[in-house]
């Protein structure tokens, strides 16, 4: 029975009471029994001989209660007792009802206040007590939700308590299902639509609003023909007819957004029968995203091909680097020894040419390895002003006199963490490119400056450099410049505009910047020169201080008593190292085979000060030899010297205690400085 039916029953009761009261007033007859309650028998909640109104109340299929003006409860029907568990003995008056049905004090006061207001309004206006939902505590301590209404009949109040607990739960479940369905529709990455048979839009998702620019109010009953111009309506009609006939259809469509712009979408629709009505349901996806995805796929394919090309170059470079660098080490090493030994200026010039050619060959090998991601990168504090000075000194001999070299080293924080040789090679490549861009002469300038990166600028360059202080190095020329096509492919491997170029120079520069968490920006235009900006994160202050202290102090000199063991499978290379160290005052011993070297070390390690270890050797590689030496003497000092090793091998040994690394080929002077530094600082500490 609904609330409307209950109110109709109450109206009947009210008319019955009015009739009885009229009889009493007109005829002065003896007062009739209370139409709502006869005298209570042994069960105070029921009476079998009640008059019509009582019978009417008994057959109401909901809980009913009646109370007097003094708030004494006179009657509870069976449904009340069954639903809430209370009898008249449990709740003889309203005060007890408030206490038991609403045990929380705050909520009880709220309910009583609302009920009192409703009863007062009903009494003054002769209207029913309008239904309101309340939470009721049952006798078994469970809670039910009751929609409570009622009416004043004479001096008494009849109360109807319609239990809506299950109804509310069902409504909440339906609401949850609806919210879930809407969430699913809104999550679909495209517009979802449902048109009725007359072509009116009756359901859509949030993405529909986003893609078309219309609000929900504007989309209500929008016709499917409103999305296209007049020329396109015929196509819409044909597509609709096709879906209604075949049950399915798809195609591309240009719809007109609210702002007048056209949106190209791919539409798929199906015929749907819902509650006996025919609809067209479907989805539309933005073709722009598909086209972008296709472009991205093409870009990724190109990058994959590029990566495969890099891998091929890396395998080639790795295959020859070790042997090639060993040979260059022998050539450049003996050329350096000859330069020191001969007195004839002509012969010294010859040996210097040999050294220069060997250095260029070594640089090319290193560029190949770096470009192919196989070169070793050591992060140490590097003063970029010194790197710039050394680069200018080298490039000065490689540029004609008609090119003017200038510098402006204004940065106050010029120390970065990185590999000095890689950074110098990058600057050298940029300087050579600038030289080649000025065949008729010009100016080549290297500058440094302190810059401050804000958060937006840091995000713009991919976050490689955090916001805050950074170092800017600029290589600028006033040469022929570059057009947009050249700029687009500037860093592509093997791309070159030179007749004899390798196409690796700028690719290597970009890779060097990446490895140093830096960023490169090229500004150029045809006929207006080029400006290359290199941005680096500055080194932590403690690293800059340590570098400054190292530059002003020299390690103690090591006497001829220092003993060095050289482990290198190349006879010529190992022999050169032994001869070079011997000429510098060290006692050097070369071991060509790894196992014999370990045996020698086991016998003489107490008198050895340093071990020079090659990484790539047959039978046992450098890592295995290093482990064997450490098992014999955990305090052994190992300096790694190698023409090539897999990326990560050297860093792993440095972390395990190797004292340094030199990449072949290197100059005897460099070796002397490093060995002297290692042994000198060790002896000073001891």
């Amino acid at each position: 029975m609904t609330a409307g039916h209950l109110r109709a029953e109450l109206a009947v009761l009210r008319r019955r009471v009015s009739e009885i009261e009229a009889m009493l007033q007109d005829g002065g007859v003896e007062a009739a029994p209370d139409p709502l309650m006869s005298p209570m028998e042994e069960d105070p909640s029921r009476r079998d001989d009640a008059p019509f109104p009582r019978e009417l109340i008994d057959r109401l299929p909901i809980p009913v209660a009646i109370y007097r003006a003094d708030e004494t409860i006179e009657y509870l029907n069976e449904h009340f007792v069954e639903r809430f568990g209370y009898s008249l003995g449990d709740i003889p008056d309203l005060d007890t009802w408030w206490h038991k049905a609403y045990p929380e004090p705050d909520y009880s006061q709220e309910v009583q206040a609302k009920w009192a207001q409703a009863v007062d309004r009903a009494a003054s206006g002769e209207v029913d007590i309008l239904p309101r939902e309340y939470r009721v505590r049952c006798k078994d301590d469970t809670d039910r939700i009751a929609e409570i209404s009622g009416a004043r009949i004479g001096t008494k109040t009849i109360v109807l308590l319609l239990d809506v607990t299950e109804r509310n739960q069902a409504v909440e479940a339906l609401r949850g299902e609806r919210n879930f369905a809407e969430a699913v529709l809104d999550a679909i990455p495209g517009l979802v639509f449902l048109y009725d048979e007359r072509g009116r839009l009756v359901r859509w998702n949030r993405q529909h609003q986003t893609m078309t620019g219309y609000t929900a109010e504007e989309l209500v009953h929008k016709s499917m023909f409103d999305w296209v111009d007049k020329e396109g309506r015929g196509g819409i009609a044909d597509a609709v007819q096709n879906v209604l006939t075949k049950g399915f259809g798809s195609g591309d469509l240009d719809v007109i957004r609210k702002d007048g712009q056209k949106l190209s979408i791919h539409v798929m629709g199906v015929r749907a029968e819902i509650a006996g009505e025919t609809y067209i349901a479907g989805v539309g996806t933005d073709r722009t995203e598909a086209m972008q995805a296709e472009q991205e796929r093409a870009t990724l394919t190109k990058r994959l091909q590029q990566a495969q090309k890099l891998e091929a170059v890396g395998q080639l470079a790795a295959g020859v680097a070790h042997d090639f660098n060993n040979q260059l080490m022998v050539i450049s090493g003996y050329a350096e020894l000859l330069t020191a030994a001969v007195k004839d200026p002509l012969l010294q010039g010859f040996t210097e040419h040999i050294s220069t050619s060997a250095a260029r060959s070594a640089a090319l090998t290193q560029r190949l390895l770096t470009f192919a991601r196989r070169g070793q990168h050591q992060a140490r504090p590097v003063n970029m002003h010194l790197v710039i000075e050394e680069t200018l000194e080298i490039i000065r001999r490689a540029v004609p006199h008609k090119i003017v070299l200038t510098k402006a080293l204004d940065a106050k924080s010029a120390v970065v963490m990185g590999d000095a040789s890689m950074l110098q090679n990058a600057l050298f490549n940029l300087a050579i490119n600038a030289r080649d861009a000025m065949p008729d002469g010009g100016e080549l300038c290297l500058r440094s400056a302190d810059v401050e990166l804000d958060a937006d600028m840091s995000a713009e360059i991919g976050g490689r450099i955090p916001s805050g202080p950074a170092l800017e190095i600029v290589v600028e020329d006033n040469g022929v410049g570059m057009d947009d096509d050249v700029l687009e492919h500037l860093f592509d491997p093997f791309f070159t505009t030179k007749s004899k170029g390798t196409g690796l120079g700028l690719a290597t520069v970009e890779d060097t910047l990446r490895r140093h968490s830096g960023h490169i920006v090229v500004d150029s235009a045809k006929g207006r020169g080029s400006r290359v900006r290199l941005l680096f994160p500055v080194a932590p202050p403690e690293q800059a201080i340590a570098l400054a202290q190292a530059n002003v102090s020299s390690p103690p000199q090591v006497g001829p008593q220092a003993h060095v063991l050289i482990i290198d499978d190349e006879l010529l290379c190992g022999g050169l190292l032994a001869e070079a160290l011997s000429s510098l005052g060290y006692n050097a011993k070369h071991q060509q085979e790894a196992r014999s070297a370990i045996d020698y070390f086991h016998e003489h390690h107490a008198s050895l000060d340093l071990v020079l270890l090659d990484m790539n050797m047959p039978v046992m590689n450098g890592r295995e030899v290093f482990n064997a030496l450490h098992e014999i003497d955990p305090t052994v000092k190992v300096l790694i010297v190698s023409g090539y090793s897999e990326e990560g091998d050297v860093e792993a040994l440095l972390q395990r205690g190797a004292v340094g690394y030199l990449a072949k080929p290197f100059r005897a002077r460099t070796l002397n400085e490093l060995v002297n530094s290692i042994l000198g600082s060790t002896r000073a500490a001891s």
Side-chain angles (χ1 to χ4, degrees):
M1 181 175 289
T2 65
H5 289 99
L6 296 176
R7 284 193 287 273
E9 299 282 13
L10 286 174
V12 173
L13 287 174
R14 185 177 289 107
R15 286 197 303 272
R16 176 64 172 151
V17 171
S18 298
E19 291 172 359
I20 295 173
E21 289 177 343
M23 292 172 57
L24 292 172
Q25 292 174 358
D26 294 340
V29 297
E30 184 179 354
D34 189 332
L36 295 181
M37 183 60 64
S38 297
M40 298 175 58
E41 299 177 344
E42 51 279 9
D43 182 358
S45 66
R46 294 224 14 106
R47 271 201 55 190
D48 296 331
D49 58 348
F52 166 73
R54 170 64 181 279
E55 294 174 354
L56 179 62
I57 294 173
D58 280 345
R59 61 187 176 86
L60 292 178
I62 65 168
V64 178
I66 300 174
Y67 67 88
R68 301 191 188 107
D70 62 0
E71 297 189 348
T72 300
I73 297 176
E74 289 189 351
Y75 172 75
L76 303 174
N77 72 347
E78 283 185 354
H79 289 291
F80 188 101
V81 178
E82 291 173 358
R83 182 67 63 183
F84 302 109
Y86 299 113
S87 66
L88 275 178
D90 298 318
I91 48 173
D93 51 45
L94 281 188
D95 186 61
T96 306
W97 166 252
W98 298 133
H99 177 73
K100 291 188 175 183
Y102 310 102
E104 292 120 4
D106 292 342
Y107 186 58
S108 179
Q109 291 178 5
E110 177 186 346
V111 172
Q112 291 181 56
K114 291 179 179 178
W115 182 256
Q117 292 175 1
V119 171
D120 291 343
R121 281 196 301 269
S124 61
E126 294 186 356
V127 296
D128 294 339
I129 301 172
L130 298 179
R132 183 189 292 268
E133 290 186 6
Y134 298 96
R135 185 178 70 253
V136 177
R137 178 67 53 81
C138 301
K139 186 174 181 179
D140 62 2
D141 284 335
T142 60
D143 286 340
R144 309 289 295 178
I145 303 300
E147 185 182 86
I148 303 178
S149 59
R152 294 292 298 273
I153 301 178
T155 60
K156 299 178 182 180
T157 303
I158 181 171
V159 183
L160 310 178
L161 298 93
L162 180 63
D163 189 347
V164 295
T165 305
E166 284 74 17
R167 184 195 71 182
N168 286 5
Q169 290 172 349
V171 170
E172 189 62 32
L174 288 174
R175 184 181 294 112
E177 290 291 334
R178 184 189 64 188
N179 292 340
F180 175 76
E182 290 180 350
V184 171
L185 291 178
D186 289 338
I188 295 175
L191 57 84
V192 177
F193 58 82
L194 182 69
Y195 286 93
D196 63 18
E197 204 167 6
R198 289 183 289 176
R200 298 180 306 176
L201 184 64
V202 295
R203 189 69 185 273
W204 61 90
N205 65 342
R206 187 177 296 117
Q207 190 67 12
H208 199 302
Q209 299 171 213
T210 303
M211 291 174 65
T212 63
Y214 287 95
T215 65
E217 292 76 14
E218 293 168 333
L219 287 175
V220 174
H221 289 170
K222 191 173 182 64
S223 171
M224 62 176 63
F225 297 101
D226 293 340
W227 297 112
V228 296
D229 50 27
K230 292 181 179 179
E231 290 76 12
R233 292 181 180 177
I236 293 288
D238 292 341
V240 170
Q241 187 60 39
N242 182 60
V243 172
L244 293 176
T245 302
K246 298 181 178 180
F248 175 84
S250 64
D252 296 330
L253 180 68
D254 290 333
V255 303
I256 302 174
R257 289 171 39 89
K258 182 179 179 180
D259 59 10
Q261 298 294 320
K262 286 191 174 182
L263 175 68
S264 182
I265 61 175
H266 181 72
V267 181
M268 294 178 290
V270 297
R271 185 183 66 240
E273 301 294 335
I274 304 173
E277 300 288 338
T278 300
Y279 295 88
I280 295 178
V283 295
T285 55
D286 190 345
R287 292 177 60 204
T288 305
E289 297 179 359
M291 290 186 290
Q292 290 175 346
E294 180 61 27
Q295 293 174 353
E296 184 178 358
R297 188 185 67 81
T299 300
L300 291 174
T301 300
K302 182 179 179 181
R303 289 175 60 184
L304 175 61
Q305 294 170 346
Q306 189 69 23
Q308 292 171 338
K309 186 188 297 184
L310 289 177
E311 182 63 22
V313 173
Q315 292 175 354
L316 174 64
V320 302
H322 179 260
D323 293 338
F324 191 52
N325 280 333
N326 276 334
Q327 301 308 314
L328 289 176
M329 181 73 206
V330 174
I331 294 170
S332 61
Y334 279 112
E336 188 176 359
L337 292 178
L338 280 173
T339 302
V342 300
K343 304 301 181 184
D344 188 337
L346 180 62
L347 295 178
Q348 286 183 339
F350 291 162
T351 58
E352 287 178 358
H353 287 319
I354 295 173
S355 298
T356 300
S357 296
R360 289 177 178 174
S361 298
L364 177 59
T365 305
Q366 183 60 36
R367 282 160 61 186
L368 281 168
L369 288 171
T370 300
F371 164 70
R373 311 291 198 267
R374 292 173 178 264
Q376 295 294 337
H377 168 214
Q378 299 189 63
R380 295 192 175 106
V382 178
N383 188 332
M384 288 302 295
H385 284 172
L386 294 180
V387 174
I388 292 173
E389 295 281 9
E390 292 175 359
T391 303
L392 286 173
E393 188 62 30
I394 296 172
I395 200 68
R396 203 179 303 278
R397 298 192 293 268
V399 299
H401 293 296
K402 54 187 176 181
I403 295 180
V404 179
L405 299 178
T406 61
K407 64 180 179 181
L409 308 182
D410 299 326
K412 293 181 174 57
S413 300
V415 178
V416 302
M417 297 301 296
D419 189 304
S421 62
M422 291 179 66
L423 293 169
Q424 186 178 82
N425 188 51
L427 291 180
F428 182 80
N429 278 319
L430 294 175
I432 290 297
N433 282 346
R435 177 202 67 181
D436 295 342
M438 298 182 288
D440 299 326
E443 181 182 358
L444 169 59
C445 181
L446 275 72
R447 297 198 303 271
S448 73
D450 298 313
V451 295
E452 189 77 17
L453 295 184
D454 57 25
D456 292 339
M457 190 179 302
S458 175
E460 185 178 338
I461 63 177
R464 290 189 298 273
I465 306 176
S467 57
L471 173 66
E472 179 186 66
I473 304 294
V474 177
V475 180
E476 189 170 14
D477 67 73
N478 54 3
V480 297
M482 294 173 282
D483 57 26
D484 291 341
D485 185 60
V486 173
L487 287 172
E488 182 180 355
H489 301 283
L490 194 60
F491 299 109
D492 290 353
F494 308 111
F495 174 79
T496 180
T497 58
K498 305 174 186 178
S499 58
K500 296 182 180 180
T502 64
L504 294 178
L506 288 177
T508 303
V509 171
E510 184 186 42
D511 184 71
T512 297
L513 268 291
R514 180 190 64 81
R515 288 170 174 251
H516 288 77
S517 301
H519 185 67
I520 182 170
V521 180
V522 179
D523 297 321
S524 183
K526 199 69 175 176
R528 294 195 299 179
S530 300
R531 183 171 183 264
V532 182
R533 297 174 59 222
L534 309 179
L535 293 173
F536 297 93
V538 297
E542 61 271 15
Q543 295 287 355
I545 294 172
L547 179 63
Q549 292 174 344
N551 289 335
V552 299
S553 61
S554 58
Q557 295 300 310
V558 181
Q561 72 276 14
H563 290 72
V564 181
L565 171 62
I566 303 163
I567 306 176
D568 195 318
D569 63 301
E570 287 288 338
L571 180 62
L572 291 176
C573 189
L576 169 67
L577 291 174
E579 191 167 346
L581 287 171
S582 297
S583 68
L584 296 170
Y586 300 96
N587 292 325
K589 173 68 176 178
H590 174 221
Q591 288 288 334
Q592 188 177 0
E593 200 274 328
R595 295 194 183 278
S596 62
I598 294 173
D599 293 339
Y600 181 88
F601 181 80
H602 187 275
E603 185 177 352
H604 299 93
H605 69 90
S607 61
L608 291 173
D609 298 288
L610 183 66
V611 176
L612 270 60
L613 175 63
D614 186 28
M615 287 296 292
N616 288 73
M617 296 183 294
V619 184
M620 295 180 68
N621 60 33
R623 184 191 291 261
E624 292 170 331
V625 174
F626 181 88
N627 292 338
L629 299 181
H630 254 256
E631 286 183 6
I632 298 171
D633 183 0
T635 64
V636 61
K637 294 174 180 58
V638 178
L639 173 62
I640 301 169
V641 289
S642 184
Y644 164 73
S645 64
E646 286 292 340
E647 187 170 4
D649 284 352
V650 171
E651 287 296 332
L653 294 187
L654 290 173
Q655 291 177 2
R656 292 193 55 200
V659 294
Y661 168 69
L662 270 179
K664 297 177 184 176
F666 48 81
R667 298 176 65 86
R669 183 181 64 184
T670 304
L671 175 62
N672 179 42
E673 290 174 353
L674 184 55
V675 172
N676 191 56
S677 174
I678 293 171
L679 298 182
S681 60
T682 301
R683 298 192 176 204
S686 60

